[in-house]
Amino acid sequence: MPFNLPILLTWLRIVAIPLLIALYFLPASWLTQHERDLFATLLFIAAAVTDWADGYLARKLGQTSAFGAFLDPVADKLMVAAALIVLVQLGRIDAIIATIIIGREITISALREWMAKIGAARSVAVSMLGKVKTVAQMTAIPLLLYHVPLFGIDVARYGNWLIWLAALLTLWSMGYYLHMAWPEIAKRTADEA
């Protein structure tokens, strides 16, 4: 297993997951709800920044690796799933939103793995639609974690709009990826029949 700065940043993102969850299970006398929300928001934003930084540094330093390419999206999906579950627990999003987003990530990850195994990974390469979904999701989550107005802006309301938009884009992008993979799926199914 290679170890370098980009992979270290990815591992730090994974380590941040239990920290994010633990913030909400600390005794009430240790942190106020606002302090928990603030620290969780900052932790999530830091994780999002390391997501960008690890990819950039891997390319810039020539430290890309198959292990890093595997670990990076796993860390992203785990961090998002943990944050969504925390938000459901806090009553800030509906469970259906978390189910849609987490379910899509599992489905598309499995689809990509299968397509790579059969040599057709290009059919399900990341699309612009997937990137827009990610931006909406990664903007919504910190807004929903922070939750209270900031400089007079109702961040919770904007976070809610964005997370619903992310859920719709999630379904749309899942349909897109499945559509792109369908010819290969149909061909394999016919071959096995």
Side-chain angles (χ1 to χ4, degrees), residues 19-36:
L19 296 177
L20 177 80
I21 295 167
L23 281 169
Y24 291 98
F25 288 95
L26 292 173
S29 60
W30 289 17
L31 294 171
T32 66
Q33 184 64 45
H34 178 68
E35 289 169 335
R36 291 170 203 270

Side-chain angles (χ1 to χ4, degrees), residues 16-25 33 36-37 40-41 44 78-93 98 102 141 144-145:
I17 295 165
L19 296 177
L20 177 80
I21 295 167
L23 281 169
Y24 291 98
F25 288 95
Q33 184 64 45
R36 291 170 203 270
D37 292 343
T41 302
F44 188 87
L78 289 173
M79 188 63 166
V80 167
L84 291 172
I85 292 167
V86 165
L87 290 168
V88 169
Q89 178 75 21
L90 294 171
R92 296 180 186 173
I93 65 169
I102 295 169
I141 291 172
L144 291 165
L145 286 169

Side-chain angles (χ1 to χ4, degrees), residues 13-14 47 51 54 71-81 138:
R13 205 157 63 251
I14 292 171
D51 179 28
D54 64 13
L71 192 62
D72 181 64
V74 170
D76 300 342
K77 288 164 184 39
L78 289 173
M79 188 63 166
V80 167
M138 299 302 268

Side-chain angles (χ1 to χ4, degrees), residues 68-153:
F70 156 76
L71 192 62
D72 181 64
V74 170
D76 300 342
K77 288 164 184 39
L78 289 173
M79 188 63 166
V80 167
L84 291 172
I85 292 167
V86 165
L87 290 168
V88 169
Q89 178 75 21
L90 294 171
R92 296 180 186 173
I93 65 169
D94 291 330
I96 189 71
I97 295 288
T99 303
I100 288 170
I101 294 172
I102 295 169
R104 180 263 189 204
E105 296 303 338
I106 293 168
T107 302
I108 298 307
S109 292
L111 178 66
R112 283 192 174 126
E113 182 180 333
W114 180 71
M115 294 295 280
K117 187 182 282 188
I118 64 170
R122 293 191 132 178
S123 300
V124 287
V126 176
S127 72
M128 182 54 75
L129 181 59
K131 291 178 181 182
V132 171
K133 180 266 313 174
T134 300
V135 168
Q137 182 177 281
M138 299 302 268
T139 305
I141 291 172
L143 295 175
L144 291 165
L145 286 169
Y146 189 73
H147 202 64
V148 296
L150 180 65
F151 305 118
I153 299 169

